[in-house]
Amino acid sequence: MKILALESTCDETSVAFLNGRKIEKNLVYSQIKIHRKYKGVVPEAASRAHSEKMAALLKKITANSKKPQAITFCRGPGLNGSLIVSAVAAKTLSEYYAIPLIGVNHLEGHFLSCEIENDEIKNKFKFPLIVLIASGGHSELWLAENYGIYKLLGSTRDDAAGEAFDKTAKLLGFPYPGGPILEREALKASKKDFSFPIPFVREGFDFSFSGLKTAVAYKLDGKKLSIGFKRSVCYAFQEAAVDALLKKTAQAAEKYKVKQIAVGGGVSANGRLREAFTSYFKGKNIETLFPQKKYCSDNAAMAGLCAFRRLEAGEFKNCVSVNADLKIESWRKKC
Ligand code: KG4
Ligand code: ZN
């Protein structure tokens, strides 16, 4: 099965071509330069940039490629104006080629990315398992019972994890997106003489990161921000944020007695998070899976993966158009 995949949920325009289990091409155009001057993503600028770049990327990926047998795109969650760009392009192409159109969930794509190894889709999951999605827009914990069968255990009550990294970096005067820069600066911290309270919602599996951001703001208030002090703040923030994500994930793993944890989304690229999760769960005899770094942030290959699993399950047989509307799916039922 040859699948052409499109992604434009936020500030990356991406197209990918999958041939069976092989990700033959995954082209990503990042809009960081456009949004950096505004210190965050400007939705209108994002959708304009997607519409300018999508056609060029499609032209590039379809040159010398065989005709796809299915086309897929992330239909949400994401920025509405951005989502429409790949929705329209994918629908047009599916009608032109007369092939099935499969709208998939962006967050499921982040989860399934954990099964890519050397650009190939492997079968690594041992269901049921706990999934942590930590991205710029979402922090969620799921119980995954099989491909496409997910129960939402908890989500953030305010800021998402990546958003908290970005906002803290902004308070410190670092450019957008702050997550990778904050991680780099935390590594350079020489003084680790203070900590922030670990943000923790007592009941259930929800997260909350806005209190941690406020604690950082109070810590900075009226102080001269030397680079050494900023690095100490980055270190203390990262420790608290990673601990908060780890604690809830550990509670969920214990409750559901799983043997695997999968972590996806942009924040899963964070080295400290990877180290903390891997060593904690190793001690509990639980395997932790992460995507390869290049598949952590938004990319079209992950949409291709979702479509691959649906087609493999025999869904969408003989369909020309399925799930192609822009309605955000409600399949992640809160339990
Ligand atoms: O999944 P993603 O690419 O886009 C969304 O779906 O939101 O995630 C982007 C988020 C941003 O907030 C970015 O700062 C964060 O992931 N991020 C990181 C790191 N790399 C990206 N956060 C912490 N450490 C990193 N190394
Ligand atoms: Zn994402």
Side-chain angles (χ1 to χ4, degrees):
M1 176 63 76
K2 294 175 184 60
I3 303 172
L4 177 61
L6 280 66
E7 139 73 28
S8 64
T9 53
C10 187
D11 60 345
E12 263 101 18
T13 320
S14 178
V15 295
F17 199 90
L18 276 69
N19 189 354
R21 288 178 172 266
K22 183 92 195 142
I23 298 161
E24 287 193 338
K25 289 177 202 164
N26 183 47
L27 311 178
V28 183
Y29 165 72
S30 165
Q31 302 178 357
I32 283 177
K33 270 195 194 146
I34 297 172
H35 302 294
R36 189 160 266 177
K37 53 180 176 289
Y38 305 107
K39 301 186 165 59
V41 178
V42 180
E44 178 64 22
S47 38
R48 279 167 194 256
H50 285 308
S51 12
E52 275 162 28
K53 213 65 195 178
M54 185 56 84
L57 288 180
L58 281 170
K59 194 170 170 196
K60 197 166 170 188
I61 204 154
T62 48
N64 310 320
S65 282
K66 296 190 187 77
K67 180 188 157 185
Q69 290 154 293
I71 185 151
T72 183
F73 69 102
C74 290
R75 66 184 182 120
L79 302 170
N80 280 341
S82 295
L83 292 171
I84 285 169
V85 175
S86 45
V88 171
K91 195 161 170 47
T92 308
L93 284 170
S94 83
E95 287 186 11
Y96 174 76
Y97 287 126
I99 53 174
L101 173 64
I102 305 168
V104 299
N105 185 285
H106 167 189
L107 303 183
E108 183 184 23
H110 278 308
F111 161 47
L112 297 188
S113 299
C114 293
E115 287 199 303
I116 307 176
E117 197 179 289
N118 299 327
D119 302 322
E120 281 226 7
I121 304 172
K122 306 282 182 193
N123 280 13
K124 295 187 172 200
F125 296 149
K126 295 175 194 127
F127 294 104
L129 59 110
I130 293 293
V131 181
L132 169 67
I133 302 293
S135 70
H138 294 82
S139 297
E140 295 193 352
L141 268 176
W142 310 344
L143 176 69
E145 294 176 339
N146 208 330
Y147 295 110
I149 305 177
Y150 313 118
K151 283 188 181 137
L152 179 64
L153 305 177
S155 51
T156 186
R157 294 195 177 176
D158 36 60
D159 293 345
E163 192 179 357
F165 270 86
D166 294 341
K167 286 179 175 171
T168 298
K170 192 173 168 184
L171 284 173
L172 291 165
F174 294 125
Y176 176 84
I181 296 167
L182 195 147
E183 179 185 6
R184 194 188 65 207
E185 295 303 316
L187 273 173
K188 295 181 193 158
S190 51
K191 273 196 180 167
K192 299 168 183 172
D193 51 354
F194 60 86
S195 59
F196 291 116
I198 298 161
F200 194 69
V201 179
R202 208 171 290 273
E203 295 291 317
F205 295 107
D206 282 350
F207 300 103
S208 167
F209 287 102
S210 67
L212 176 57
K213 181 191 61 193
T214 309
V216 172
Y218 279 130
K219 184 82 188 170
L220 305 186
D221 198 26
K223 298 226 177 52
K224 193 177 162 285
L225 300 186
S226 68
I227 186 66
F229 177 61
K230 285 189 193 185
R231 286 174 177 160
S232 301
V233 172
C234 288
Y235 174 83
F237 167 85
Q238 184 171 262
E239 288 302 300
V242 167
D243 246 22
L245 292 168
L246 179 56
K247 279 212 162 70
K248 282 289 170 202
T249 312
Q251 280 184 354
E254 194 180 327
K255 177 167 176 186
Y256 292 97
K257 302 191 179 2
V258 296
K259 287 279 150 238
Q260 269 185 343
I261 305 286
V263 189
V267 183
S268 69
N270 186 280
R272 176 67 190 126
L273 180 144
R274 287 177 176 236
E275 180 188 87
F277 271 63
T278 308
S279 79
Y280 176 86
F281 287 114
K282 199 170 172 202
K284 302 272 170 199
N285 233 350
I286 296 174
E287 186 188 10
T288 316
L289 301 172
F290 297 98
Q292 281 173 259
K293 292 244 172 140
K294 67 174 175 175
Y295 291 113
C296 286
S297 49
D298 294 340
N299 66 85
M302 66 188 194
L305 250 90
C306 298
F308 174 85
R309 292 297 180 200
R310 295 287 179 282
L311 292 162
E312 183 189 51
E315 294 175 37
F316 308 139
K317 260 189 196 149
N318 305 321
C319 288
V320 168
S321 182
V322 276
N323 288 347
D325 63 319
L326 275 176
K327 224 167 59 214
I328 306 305
E329 287 157 288
S330 57
W331 45 260
R332 290 168 297 121
K333 293 209 170 48
K334 197 155 184 167
C335 59

